[in-house]
Amino acid sequence: MAIRRITVAERRARIGVRHRLAAPAGSAVEAARALVVLHGTDPAAVYLAAAARMHSPEIAGIERELYEERRLVRMLCMRRTVFAVPAELVPVVQAACADDVARLERRRTLKLFQEAGLGDDAWLREVEDETLAALRARGAAYATELSADVPRLKERIVLGRGSRNEASPAIASRVLLGLAVQGRIVRGRPRGSWISNQFQWSPIESWLPDGIPAVPAETARAELVRRWLAAYGPGTAADLKWWTGLTMTQVEQALALVETEEVDLDGTPGLVLAGDAEPVAPPEPWVALLPGLDPTVMGWTGRDWYLGEHGPALFDRTGNAGPTVWCDGRIVGGWSQRADGSVVYRLLEDVGAEAETAVKAEAARLSEWIGPVRVIPRFRTPLERELSA
């Protein structure tokens, strides 16, 4: 049987429909499910990414889903990155990726503790258990509050020794990060506004009453791969390796448990879920202003088909995407926010008068939605810096 070719136009149509950019969602969790997860390294990005995909987004509504209904859980997982994960997917993400990250982080923490002369694995476990007990006693707490309860959290380590970025932070952040990636505690509501990254911590059972159910790692990886293919397919094994942070061996083992179909991506072998190779009807024309590190922007490692020649202006030197302007499934420019709060943009290619009018209207809508808050991306890119000046 001939391998079906999926064109760039079809891939762009899938972005519009499946990533809810041309077919808006009714809630933040619905938007997250469409993308598998929402990127959460930058707290504001969760809100901006969800809002770009919702019918009638409200900051209070997204906060309610995060912190009251607790339908999204912030986790350190794929690529050692924080994501907002739909609650029902937490066990899969924990077993597929977070458990491996937890083991790597523990080795790194123990090395830092050894260099600082603090203690061994048993010492770290004592501090973790004391911290968790203090957190349960409080119900929820910030790192500074827990450090008052557990004095050993104030011990210091050295990071970047001998470099210009050398620092001596307290171990509280390492201990809390470790407990979180193990699935024992969870990031809750931040101090201040929705753009703050000073999170309150809670025991995992206060969010998920039964904790995180155990799932076999092989099963979890296969399910994560299946969901990525449903949302981002067609793609390549290299895309999957990059997005999940798994090894290529783990990706191949996962793919062996998932029914897939090979397709031709203009000469590059690609994969879709079995039965998902048929043409996708193009949606109505659409534009979107997406935040830095948006899941759609960061969904693949091979990006030429939607990024074109715009990478140097819109990504930083380590591969982090800044705010982008999209038109019908391709990146056509970037945007930023000035000191007065206004959203400004620049188109890097001709999109036609109608689309440009739509981009202008979307920038005005986003400026009004953000309101008086000043959103500065976690990772600054050349065009974003230029526009914000």
Side-chain angles (χ1 to χ4, degrees):
M1 185 174 65
I3 295 176
R4 184 175 181 278
R5 176 173 174 257
I6 295 184
T7 66
V8 167
E10 286 183 57
R11 298 184 78 180
R12 291 174 177 174
R14 287 180 182 230
I15 284 180
V17 175
R18 298 190 180 185
H19 289 200
R20 308 309 293 266
L21 293 163
S27 66
V29 73
E30 188 180 336
R33 287 170 180 153
L35 296 156
V36 187
V37 292
L38 295 176
H39 206 293
T41 300
D42 188 338
V46 173
Y47 291 80
L48 294 170
R53 296 169 168 87
M54 293 172 64
H55 286 293
S56 304
E58 294 181 349
I59 290 171
I62 297 172
E63 286 184 325
R64 183 170 60 251
E65 291 186 69
L66 279 164
Y67 306 123
E68 296 172 25
E69 299 170 0
R70 296 176 176 179
R71 302 169 71 194
L72 291 166
V73 181
R74 280 190 171 88
M75 298 178 66
L76 187 73
C77 43
M78 288 78 73
R79 308 192 305 277
R80 196 189 171 276
T81 298
V82 176
F83 290 91
V85 181
E88 71 275 6
L89 191 60
V90 167
V92 167
V93 170
Q94 183 69 40
C97 300
D99 285 344
D100 282 345
V101 174
R103 284 187 281 271
L104 290 172
E105 286 302 312
R106 191 170 198 84
R107 286 201 290 270
R108 184 183 178 211
T109 295
L110 287 171
K111 184 174 184 294
L112 291 169
F113 284 10
Q114 182 182 21
E115 291 172 352
L118 293 179
D120 56 10
D121 186 74
W123 187 86
L124 174 56
R125 291 186 187 281
E126 284 182 8
V127 176
E128 288 176 331
D129 290 344
E130 287 179 31
T131 301
L132 187 55
L135 184 57
R136 285 174 173 155
R138 285 180 176 268
Y142 295 102
T144 52
E145 295 170 326
L146 292 169
S147 294
D149 296 339
V150 183
R152 285 192 286 185
L153 289 176
K154 298 176 184 177
E155 297 282 359
R156 295 191 174 274
I157 53 176
V158 177
L159 300 178
R161 187 184 299 275
S163 73
R164 65 178 182 178
N165 296 319
E166 181 174 319
S168 300
I171 69 169
S173 60
R174 294 296 308 173
V175 173
L176 291 169
L177 180 147
L179 287 169
V181 75
Q182 292 169 41
R184 300 171 73 184
I185 66 175
V186 64
R187 296 165 180 81
R189 189 184 293 273
R191 191 194 305 272
S193 75
W194 55 280
I195 66 171
S196 170
N197 62 4
Q198 296 184 40
F199 292 103
Q200 193 176 51
W201 296 92
S202 298
I204 190 66
E205 61 269 18
S206 69
W207 284 63
L208 305 174
D210 298 323
I212 301 178
V215 178
E218 296 78 7
T219 303
R221 289 172 189 146
E223 177 61 15
L224 190 62
V225 162
R226 187 193 69 76
R227 292 193 183 224
W228 185 90
L229 285 170
Y232 296 86
T236 66
D239 290 328
L240 273 164
K241 177 181 181 295
W242 180 83
W243 188 88
T244 59
L246 300 175
T247 66
M248 184 57 78
T249 297
Q250 290 172 328
V251 168
E252 290 171 349
Q253 290 171 342
L255 284 169
L257 300 176
V258 179
E259 292 187 18
T260 61
E261 185 174 333
E262 187 175 345
V263 294
D264 172 24
L265 304 178
D266 291 324
T268 299
L271 293 170
V272 294
L273 290 176
D276 191 31
E278 293 307 307
V280 174
E284 291 296 315
W286 60 273
V287 300
L289 271 62
L290 301 184
L293 302 174
D294 185 86
T296 300
V297 184
M298 303 294 290
W300 302 263
T301 189
R303 301 175 179 134
D304 289 349
W305 59 277
Y306 64 89
L307 178 60
E309 302 295 322
H310 308 319
L314 299 173
F315 281 71
D316 70 10
R317 293 181 179 179
T318 56
N320 298 300
T324 51
V325 178
W326 287 69
C327 178
D328 297 331
R330 70 189 194 280
I331 294 175
V332 297
W335 65 274
S336 185
Q337 190 185 25
R338 288 188 176 148
D340 63 2
S342 61
V343 170
V344 291
Y345 65 89
R346 179 180 299 165
L347 297 177
L348 300 175
E349 59 184 73
D350 184 8
V351 297
E354 189 172 343
E356 186 165 355
T357 298
V359 171
K360 183 177 181 179
E362 184 64 13
R365 184 203 66 80
L366 181 59
S367 182
E368 182 179 358
W369 191 83
I370 293 175
V373 173
R374 180 79 167 87
V375 177
I376 301 174
R378 178 77 173 269
F379 301 102
R380 310 295 300 274
T381 55
L383 183 56
E384 188 277 325
R385 287 182 181 276
E386 186 178 341
L387 289 173
S388 66

